């Protein structure tokens, strides 16, 4: 069997694990929707962002949906490494790259399902994007690229952790980082220090790029930094994951 065939088998295996774990399904798909309902109905009127709050918050919550499923990915990767599954795959001559690729692709596809559900609920709440077909394609492209980058970084964190419990905790900074960006409120409404951090951290240009695509007004000043951050994170995560996997396997 080729590496591609091995990757497909690993992808099917990962989806079976996800389907049998209601907690991971809740965190990946339902939790972003719960957060959307909380912010729109509980806090939405408290924020003055120049547009309807649902239109402002949805792009940031789409990025949050990418991050909320990462803990399950990190835990699953670490379980494979620490519970002997990788050693069994080695005996079976399964491609090493397929094991990691299966986790990353499963993470990206789960993200797309979660974001589709999130956007559906947002439309019911009054979300009214003015994006053209190219705008939607651009938004989907940046989401897939971010999911790919975050997936490899999460796999690397999972491989580096000592146990499945610590692997889940290792992804917490990635879940929290969007709250310190322009996802919920504009960065210029934050206090000194936090405002500068929000402006220069990686998630802010990615969120602003999503907003630009969905509003039909993408800006190269946001798109280029977003692409650079995504490619850089993906490259670091991939090299770190392959190096750690080679050492520990």
């Amino acid at each position: 069997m080729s590496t591609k065939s091995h990757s497909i088998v690993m992808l099917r295996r990962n989806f079976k694990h996800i389907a049998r774990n209601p907690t991971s399904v809740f965190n990946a798909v339902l939790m972003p929707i719960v957060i959307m309902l909380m912010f729109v109905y509980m806090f939405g009127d408290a924020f003055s962002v120049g547009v309807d709050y649902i239109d402002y918050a949805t792009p940031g919550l789409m990025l949050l949906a990418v991050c909320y499923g990462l803990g399950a990915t990190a835990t699953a990767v670490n379980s494979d490494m620490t519970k002997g599954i990788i050693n069994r795959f080695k005996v079976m001559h399964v491609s090493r790259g397929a094991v990691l690729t299966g986790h990353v692709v499963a993470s990206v596809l789960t993200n797309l399902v979660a974001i589709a559900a999130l956007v559906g609920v947002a439309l019911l709440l009054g979300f009214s994007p003015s994006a053209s077909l190219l705008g939607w394609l651009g938004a989907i492209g940046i989401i897939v690229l971010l999911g790919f980058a975050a997936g490899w970084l999460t796999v690397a964190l999972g491989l580096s952790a000592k146990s499945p419990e610590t692997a889940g905790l290792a992804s917490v900074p990635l879940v929290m980082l969007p709250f310190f960006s322009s996802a919920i409120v504009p960065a210029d409404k934050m206090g000194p220090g936090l405002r500068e951090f929000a402006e220069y951290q990686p998630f802010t240009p990615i969120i602003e790029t999503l907003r630009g695509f969905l509003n039909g007004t993408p800006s190269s000043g946001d798109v280029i930094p977003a692409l650079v951050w995504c490619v850089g994170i993906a490259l670091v995560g991939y090299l770190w994951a392959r190096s750690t996997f080679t050492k520990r396997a």
Side-chain angles (χ1 to χ4, degrees), residues 5 29 42 48 65 113 137 139 166 177 183 192 233 242 247:
S5 300
V29 179
M42 293 179 63
S48 176
V113 172
L137 291 176
T166 55
L177 201 56
I233 292 170
R242 289 304 298 264
K247 291 177 182 178

Side-chain angles (χ1 to χ4, degrees), residues 207-225:
I207 293 169
E208 295 305 322
T209 297
L210 273 175
R211 283 201 180 100
F213 280 128
L214 294 175
N215 293 332
T217 57
S219 168
S220 59
D222 294 319
V223 174
I224 293 175

Side-chain angles (χ1 to χ4, degrees), residues 30-80:
L30 297 180
M31 193 62 183
I33 295 176
V34 172
I35 292 176
M36 168 179 279
L37 295 173
M38 180 179 68
F39 275 102
V40 170
Y41 282 118
M42 293 179 63
F43 306 129
D45 291 338
F47 302 131
S48 176
V49 295
V51 295
D52 288 343
Y53 187 69
I54 185 66
D55 292 331
Y56 178 87
T58 297
L61 292 169
M62 292 167 69
L63 186 142
L64 263 173
V66 172
C67 295
Y68 260 90
L70 298 180
T73 300
T75 301
V77 172
N78 188 270
S79 295
D80 283 350

Side-chain angles (χ1 to χ4, degrees), residues 135-241:
W136 277 106
L137 291 176
I140 293 171
I142 199 71
I143 288 169
V144 170
L145 184 58
L146 173 63
F148 181 77
W152 275 113
L153 183 59
T154 303
V155 167
L157 291 170
L159 291 172
S160 301
K162 300 299 182 182
S163 68
E165 292 76 16
T166 55
L169 292 175
S171 65
V172 170
L174 292 176
V175 176
M176 296 301 299
L177 201 56
F179 289 101
F180 298 93
S181 69
S182 63
I184 307 301
V185 295
D188 58 13
K189 292 185 177 295
M190 300 179 184
L194 183 57
R195 178 172 61 246
E196 287 75 17
F197 176 80
E199 289 175 347
Y200 294 104
Q201 65 127 307
F203 284 159
T204 292
I206 297 172
I207 293 169
E208 295 305 322
T209 297
L210 273 175
R211 283 201 180 100
F213 280 128
L214 294 175
N215 293 332
T217 57
S219 168
S220 59
D222 294 319
V223 174
I224 293 175
L227 293 176
V228 171
W229 273 114
C230 287
V231 172
I233 292 170
L235 184 61
V236 170
Y238 174 79
L239 295 176
W240 184 11

Side-chain angles (χ1 to χ4, degrees), residues 74-105:
T75 301
V77 172
N78 188 270
S79 295
D80 283 350
M81 182 60 69
T82 57
K83 295 183 178 180
I85 300 300
I86 298 299
N87 291 331
R88 294 189 64 183
F89 288 155
K90 287 171 62 180
V91 173
M92 299 166 61
H93 302 291
V94 175
S95 168
R96 293 187 176 189
V99 178
L100 303 183
T101 302
H103 282 292
V104 173
V105 175

